Amino acid sequence: MLHLRLITPADHTDEVARLIEKTVGTAHLVVLPGAARDPVGDVVMCDVAREATDELLADLRALGIDRTGAITLENIDLSLSDRAEQAEKDAPGEGADAVVWEQLADATHEESTLSLTYVAFLTLATMIAACGVVLDNAILIVGAMAVGPEFGPLAGFCTAAVRRAPRLALRSLTALLVGFAVAMVVTVGFSHFMDWQGLFSDAQLGSDRPNTNFIYRPDAFSFIVAVLAGIAGTLSLTSAKSGALVGVAISVTTVPAAANAAVAFSYNEYGQAWGSAEQLLLNLLGIVLAGTLTLLAQKWLWARQRSKA
């Protein structure tokens, strides 16, 4: 269940309350007349089953509540109520299959915005991965994958493509491209510094590296794994199972590929640099393609399921 809190103009409160009452999957309706001060209005609260949320939000926005008042949605960690259980049973479909598009757009908004924090995390992850590729240390590679925040902009781009939101798509693409560009440039400088300190060497980079040479040797599995990870990552976002994102992060080689390309470029190893760049592009393409198709499939399946209800 999700908790919905509204601030409504007094002349719209009864209409909003009637809308909530007739929406299948709602419970615990509370109306507090005159309780809101900024903006001035009434406070209306209710709990709503996840599978009924998207339609209710669309109806509320059609009434202009997002412009004349406010709409706030929160997750409920625990609800002990027979009425809430009945509301979830009455709502068509399964909550885990429902996509709350407004919530998804909000979740990907912050993660797909170019910010100092985002660039810092991506740069640090790339530098950690640089240490991993030079030392041929798989543990460092996995750690760098987990630190990298690049799935946020990728998910934001997929969401924007499905919702036909060019501004969100541009913001996500900007964060992705600028973030990787800055991270790789800084990692080139980091490589030169580590070489100057005697910690990195061309010999290390050019050795067999059995644990990490897959990074600059892309093959069919590079794309296949990226597609599978894109599906898993998208499902984890739409079903609010964010714990799966860690597994998604460490199953694709976007950050390690960027790191290997930067280190290889610093040593004029252009063959490795190109192979790593190809690996990076294959992973990004696979994730975007899979994420977009997954959202489209969820949208179609949910619409079909609701039409049968």
Side-chain angles (χ1 to χ4, degrees):
M1 295 288 285
L2 300 172
H3 181 65
L4 183 65
R5 185 176 72 251
L6 310 171
I7 295 178
T8 65
D11 56 345
H12 281 69
T13 300
D14 289 341
E15 186 178 10
V16 169
R18 286 194 298 269
L19 172 63
I20 294 174
E21 287 174 332
K22 74 175 185 180
T23 299
V24 177
T26 60
H28 310 150
L29 175 61
V30 176
V31 178
L32 303 175
R37 292 292 182 266
D38 183 20
V40 175
D42 302 332
V43 174
V44 179
M45 297 181 289
C46 73
D47 295 338
V48 55
R50 183 179 178 85
E51 52 269 43
T53 302
D54 198 57
E55 183 178 2
L56 179 57
L57 289 178
D59 291 338
L60 290 170
R61 295 195 69 177
L63 293 175
I65 302 303
D66 56 324
R67 299 187 300 274
T68 59
I71 302 175
T72 305
L73 191 66
E74 301 172 320
N75 290 313
I76 298 177
D77 294 328
L78 177 64
S79 179
L80 303 177
S81 166
D82 290 344
R83 180 68 188 89
E85 291 182 6
Q86 187 60 48
E88 288 188 308
K89 291 179 181 178
D90 293 341
E94 295 293 332
D97 297 332
V99 179
V100 183
W101 289 100
E102 295 294 341
Q103 190 178 48
L104 177 62
D106 184 71
T108 56
H109 179 276
E110 182 179 353
E111 297 297 326
S112 60
T113 301
L114 185 63
S115 64
L116 289 175
T117 301
Y118 165 78
V119 173
F121 269 113
L122 188 55
T123 301
L124 290 169
T126 308
M127 292 166 68
I128 293 171
C131 295
V133 298
V134 172
L135 298 176
D136 194 33
N137 189 315
I139 295 176
L140 291 178
I141 295 297
V142 172
M145 290 176 176
V147 172
E150 73 279 7
F151 190 79
L154 290 169
F157 186 85
C158 296
T159 303
V162 173
R163 302 194 73 192
R164 299 178 182 178
R167 289 186 179 181
L168 175 60
L170 180 60
R171 182 174 65 242
S172 301
L173 188 61
T174 299
L176 193 67
L177 296 180
V178 174
F180 268 113
V182 172
M184 292 174 73
V185 168
V186 173
T187 302
V188 169
F190 175 71
S191 299
H192 284 301
F193 173 77
M194 295 293 280
D195 181 81
W196 177 59
Q197 293 292 317
L199 299 174
F200 282 7
S201 69
D202 193 5
Q204 288 175 299
L205 185 69
S207 62
D208 290 340
R209 289 166 49 198
N211 294 321
T212 58
N213 61 23
F214 68 93
I215 294 172
Y216 59 90
R217 295 176 179 174
D219 53 21
F221 283 103
S222 301
F223 186 75
I224 292 171
V225 172
V227 168
L228 296 176
I231 296 172
T234 303
L235 290 175
S236 71
L237 284 177
T238 57
S239 63
K241 298 184 182 298
S242 58
L245 283 176
V246 177
V248 172
I250 61 177
S251 62
V252 292
T253 54
T254 48
V255 167
N260 200 89
V263 176
F265 184 83
S266 69
Y267 282 112
N268 299 322
E269 294 282 351
Y270 299 122
Q272 276 200 40
W274 173 249
S276 301
E278 187 179 352
Q279 179 81 269
L280 175 61
L281 292 174
L282 280 174
N283 275 265
L284 294 178
L285 178 61
I287 293 172
V288 168
L289 179 63
T292 302
L293 291 178
T294 300
L295 288 176
L296 286 172
Q298 287 182 290
K299 187 176 182 179
W300 179 78
L301 289 171
W302 185 249
R304 186 179 180 185
Q305 189 173 16
R306 291 192 66 84
S307 66
K308 291 181 178 179

